[in-house]
Amino acid sequence: MSNGNSVASKDTAPSRLSLQLLLTSAVLLLAVYTFTDPRSISNPPVSYVLCSKEGNNVYTVDSDNSQTQCIVVVGAFIADRGSLSDITGRWNKFSLDKLIFRRPSLETRFIQSGAIILPGLSDSHAHILEYGATQQLPLEGTKTVQDTVARVRNFILANPDIHNDTSKFVIGGGWDHTIWPTAGWPTSAHLDEDPVIRDRPVILHSKDCHALWASSRAIKASMPFPDEVDGGVIIRDGAGNPTGVFLDNAQELLRQPQPTEADLVQRFRLAVKDAHASGLTTVHDAGLDPASLAFFRRYL
């Protein structure tokens, strides 16, 4: 009998120990789940799976130039790729980590029909702050010089602080005279002919940022000008008077109010917003303005 009891005791000891460990683990797990305040856990990044309903339309541009159907986005990173079934199988299955941190299943999003997904693109030549300035009064897409002038007039009328103060500079850009039906450059006269614009300082950047189109008031406030500009051109009439357009380095001759820090931040954010909308994830600024470089060092 004693031998039997001794054997039974040896057999049940490991079982009791295992049961105690299991119960202890369960209690600890329950305590972690129950008493962990979700607000005390750093907010997990937004996660979702982005797919094409039309097959493998995600171009990875890896060494094999492979394509796939879906990518998993976790915050600012791509964490996985594969078919929708493979992705959901890997990411939506039950796990202890998912239970403790209460992580929801991935949301599935689909791109539009006919669309593709590419890695982020890089623009090697841009003028970031100058572009942002033009987007405060965007002139891209205007079909004629008159259409452009009308857009400037409507901008003034839509902004009472500018409309009620004729001394405020009107800054915009994006115009492209090469798509207009008339030949030649626009002139100050085109702006001055409009009664709403007349007698206001107006400076408009061209689409490529290599030209400024200015009103007569903006030009008069910047005179006198040199006869020649190293690396730049002042467009003049037969009598030698400026007609309203300043090219390349001649743009620096036009006096403009210095942008505030808030102006620079707004311009930068506008440029970044449009860059992201176009799939650009890196941009090289081609400008040499020390003030712009100083801003980038402060802000980035």
Side-chain angles (χ1 to χ4, degrees):
M1 293 292 294
S2 60
N3 290 339
N5 290 336
S6 176
V7 172
S9 176
K10 291 179 180 179
D11 290 341
T12 57
S15 299
R16 289 175 181 172
L17 181 59
S18 299
L19 181 59
Q20 289 175 348
L21 290 174
L22 180 61
L23 289 174
T24 302
S25 300
V27 170
L28 290 174
L29 175 59
L30 181 61
V32 170
Y33 181 81
T34 303
F35 296 106
T36 299
D37 184 351
R39 292 171 298 180
S40 69
I41 305 173
S42 59
N43 291 329
V46 175
S47 303
Y48 58 92
V49 55
L50 184 63
C51 302
S52 169
K53 291 182 178 180
E54 300 171 334
N56 295 335
N57 284 330
V58 179
Y59 291 77
T60 63
V61 194
D62 59 10
S63 58
D64 298 322
N65 200 27
S66 60
Q67 296 173 229
T68 189
Q69 183 189 10
C70 304
I71 53 174
V72 175
V73 179
V74 179
F77 298 92
I78 296 174
D80 199 0
R81 64 182 181 179
S83 67
L84 180 57
S85 59
D86 289 343
I87 292 291
T88 53
R90 285 194 294 269
W91 286 78
N92 291 345
K93 66 181 180 181
F94 175 83
S95 67
L96 191 61
D97 175 78
K98 188 174 181 180
L99 174 65
I100 293 176
F101 293 99
R102 308 173 191 182
R103 290 174 178 158
S105 297
L106 283 177
E107 173 194 357
T108 300
R109 304 179 185 178
F110 293 98
I111 59 177
Q112 295 180 353
S113 176
I116 62 174
I117 299 176
L118 297 171
L121 304 176
S122 177
D123 190 329
S124 61
H125 185 118
H127 302 275
I128 299 173
L129 297 178
E130 292 80 3
Y131 173 84
T134 68
Q135 295 311 293
Q136 296 169 315
L137 169 53
L139 302 174
E140 191 169 354
T142 55
K143 304 300 182 183
T144 64
V145 65
Q146 291 77 18
D147 185 19
T148 311
V149 170
R151 194 173 292 187
V152 176
R153 178 181 66 248
N154 293 337
F155 172 80
I156 295 172
L157 294 174
N159 291 272
D161 60 321
I162 296 177
H163 184 236
N164 297 330
D165 185 354
T166 57
S167 68
K168 276 198 170 185
F169 272 74
V170 178
I171 307 293
W175 56 272
D176 184 359
H177 71 292
T178 65
I179 65 172
W180 297 343
T182 53
W185 296 98
T187 66
S188 298
H190 288 124
L191 295 169
D192 299 337
E193 288 169 359
D194 189 285
V196 174
I197 303 175
R198 187 180 304 133
D199 295 328
R200 296 178 185 271
V202 179
I203 296 180
L204 308 173
H205 297 256
S206 64
K207 182 177 179 178
D208 59 6
C209 293
H210 284 278
L212 289 179
W213 174 18
S215 65
S216 293
R217 181 167 177 178
I219 292 175
K220 289 177 182 177
S222 303
M223 296 179 74
F225 299 122
D227 293 334
E228 296 184 358
V229 181
D230 186 22
V233 175
I234 302 173
I235 305 299
R236 302 176 186 269
D237 60 18
N241 299 311
T243 61
V245 170
F246 296 73
L247 304 178
D248 295 321
N249 288 350
Q251 297 177 84
E252 299 174 7
L253 300 175
L254 285 173
R255 296 173 186 167
Q256 304 180 50
Q258 290 299 312
T260 64
E261 188 74 7
D263 292 332
L264 295 174
V265 170
Q266 182 187 28
R267 294 174 184 182
F268 179 76
R269 289 178 175 173
L270 285 170
V272 170
K273 177 176 176 290
D274 284 359
H276 285 168
S278 300
L280 296 174
T281 54
T282 57
V283 176
H284 296 257
D285 196 298
L288 298 175
D289 183 2
S292 297
L293 179 59
F295 168 77
F296 292 140
R297 286 175 170 168
R298 288 194 308 271
Y299 191 70
L300 299 179

